[in-house]
Amino acid sequence: MNKTITLNDGYEIPILGLGTFLARDEECERAVAFALTHGYDHIDTAQGYRNELQVGNGWKASGRTREEIFITTKITYGNQDYDATVESFQKSLADLQTEYVDLLLIHWPNVKAFDNTLDVWRALIDLQAQGLVRSIGVSNFTIPLLERLLAESSVVPAVNQVEFHTFLYQKELLSYCREKGIQIEAYSPIAKAKLFDNEVLQKTAKKYSKTPAQIMLAWLLNHNLVAIPKSTDEERILENADIFFEFDAEDLNALDNLEPRTRLVRELGVFDD
Ligand SMILES: NC(=O)c1ccc[n+]([C@@H]2O[C@H](COP(=O)([O-])OP(=O)(O)OC[C@H]3O[C@@H](n4cnc5c(N)ncnc54)[C@H](OP(=O)(O)O)[C@@H]3O)[C@@H](O)[C@H]2O)c1
C-alpha cells in the first residue's frame, strides 16, 4: 500500500496524518514531536484550533527537516475576504515557524455569502503563486458548493477535507471528487471514538487482530483516502499508525455497509442530510 497519494498539482500528500483539533499547549507539542518521530510525516492544524505555534514547536522539537514533513493549515471562517486571508496566513506561517505550508484549506464555506468564500479562494490562489503554499484546497464542501466554486474558478482544489468514516461513507461526494481530480481527506476518521461498539467492527477487529480504530483507519486507506486521526496519547498515536494492511473483499464489503449512518460535525448550515 502506498504511503502517499499524488494530488492534482503533482505534490504528494502522506496518506496518514496527525489531527490536532483540541490538542493544546505542551500536550500538543509533545504529540506532534512524538508522531513525527514515530511513523507520521503529516500534521493537520487550523487557525481555528489556536495551536499553530504548538504545532511549529512540536515539529522543531522532532528534529525532522521541513522537506521531510507535510503541514496543513486552514483559513478560519472568521476571515471572510482576500485581505483578512492573506494577513492571517502571515501569522500562520510565523506561528508554524515555516516559510511555506504544504496544504492550505478554506476551513468552512460561507453558504449564505458564497462570494466571500470565492474571495478567500482567490487569496489562496495568489498565495500559491507566490510560493507560500504548495497545494490549496477546501474543507466541508458539498457537491453543490464544489460546483459553484468550479463555475467561478479555473483552479480545481487539490483536496476536499470532509467528515468521512465507516459510518459516513459519502459515495456520491467521493465519486464526484474523483471525477474532478479532488482528493478526499477524511476528518473524524474514527468517528471521534464514539462508535467502536458496532458488532461488525468488533468482529472484523478480532479477525485481523486489530482494534476498532485501526479497522476504521485501514478502511479509509483501502479506499485511497487520506486519514488524519487525532490523538495526544502516545500509545494511541502508535496504534493509529499501524494500519497498513488490506481487507478481504467480503470484509471490505461489510465495512462499506455499516449502520447507522452518522454525521458528527454539523455547522454553519452546510449539511442538510
Ligand atoms: N476540516 C474540519 O472542519 C475538521 C473537523 C473536524 C476534525 N478535523 C481534523 O481531523 C482531525 C481528526 O478528527 P477528530 O479529532 O474530530 O476525531 P477523530 O480523530 O475521529 O477522534 C479523535 C478522538 O478519538 C480519541 N482517540 C484517538 N485514537 C484513539 C484510539 N486508537 N482509541 C480510542 N480513542 C482514540 C482521541 O482522544 P485522545 O487524544 O485522548 O487519544 C479523540 O478524543 C482533527 O483533529 C482535525 O485535525 C477537521
Side-chain angles (χ1 to χ4, degrees):
M1 197 180 283
N2 287 336
K3 295 214 168 170
T4 63
I5 290 176
T6 304
L7 300 174
N8 64 13
D9 54 17
Y11 287 110
E12 290 193 15
I13 183 169
I15 197 160
L16 170 70
L18 181 76
T20 64
F21 177 52
L22 300 180
R24 298 251 184 266
D25 306 321
E26 291 80 25
E27 189 181 50
C28 177
E29 293 183 12
R30 277 197 301 273
V32 168
F34 182 81
L36 289 176
T37 46
H38 292 83
Y40 293 69
D41 302 323
H42 168 183
I43 308 292
D44 182 84
T45 181
Q47 293 175 341
Y49 302 168
R50 299 180 183 279
N51 62 12
E52 288 172 310
L53 181 62
Q54 287 69 32
V55 168
N57 289 344
W59 157 46
K60 292 282 173 169
S62 78
R64 301 283 304 272
T65 66
R66 181 65 188 88
E67 282 297 314
E68 285 172 341
I69 67 159
F70 187 103
I71 301 176
T72 301
T73 194
K74 315 180 193 89
I75 300 294
T76 208
Y77 186 73
N79 295 319
Q80 285 280 327
D81 63 32
Y82 188 101
D83 290 343
T85 300
V86 170
E87 202 176 309
S88 69
F89 181 66
Q90 293 303 334
K91 180 166 182 336
S92 293
L93 283 183
D95 284 353
L96 289 165
Q97 303 155 63
T98 180
E99 291 183 350
Y100 68 94
V101 299
D102 296 275
L103 178 62
L104 181 63
L105 306 176
I106 299 178
H107 204 150
W108 285 91
N110 186 333
V111 288
K112 295 216 174 88
F114 198 68
D115 280 351
N116 293 6
T117 298
L118 292 172
D119 221 20
V120 174
W121 183 241
R122 280 188 275 277
L124 263 57
I125 292 171
D126 287 354
L127 290 168
Q128 185 184 40
Q130 290 160 25
L132 300 175
V133 178
R134 290 199 165 160
S135 301
I136 56 175
V138 296
S139 178
N140 296 301
F141 272 50
T142 57
I143 295 174
L145 292 171
L146 288 167
E147 291 283 7
R148 283 173 77 178
L149 183 73
L150 296 179
E152 299 284 339
S153 171
S154 56
V155 181
V156 179
V159 161
N160 186 17
Q161 184 183 114
V162 294
E163 181 177 344
F164 208 115
H165 45 71
T166 43
F167 298 93
L168 193 63
Y169 186 8
Q170 305 195 63
K171 281 188 196 168
E172 262 183 63
L173 180 66
L174 179 58
S175 71
Y176 176 87
C177 286
R178 289 229 160 107
E179 193 187 299
K180 300 289 180 192
I182 303 168
Q183 175 65 40
I184 294 258
E185 212 184 328
Y187 79 61
S188 305
I190 57 169
K192 297 186 185 281
K194 287 178 194 279
L195 302 167
F196 291 160
D197 284 347
N198 177 276
E199 213 176 296
V200 177
L201 212 46
Q202 290 282 345
K203 212 176 86 195
T204 317
K206 210 172 245 174
K207 175 169 169 185
Y208 288 84
S209 302
K210 296 284 179 183
T211 64
Q214 290 171 323
I215 297 296
M216 292 182 79
L217 293 168
W219 177 80
L220 290 163
L221 270 44
N222 275 252
H223 282 290
N224 270 312
L225 300 169
V226 176
I228 48 169
K230 177 265 173 184
S231 182
T232 46
D233 175 88
E234 293 188 356
E235 264 179 43
R236 290 192 286 276
I237 290 173
L238 292 176
E239 176 185 331
N240 295 346
D242 182 13
I243 52 170
F244 292 88
F245 60 93
E246 285 178 25
F247 292 111
D248 298 341
E250 70 188 90
D251 295 321
L252 192 58
N253 184 50
L255 293 168
D256 285 351
N257 291 290
L258 288 196
E259 288 184 341
R261 182 182 164 89
T262 309
R263 186 186 284 283
L264 298 164
V265 180
R266 291 180 180 281
E267 279 178 50
L268 301 163
V270 174
F271 308 109
D272 49 19
D273 61 335

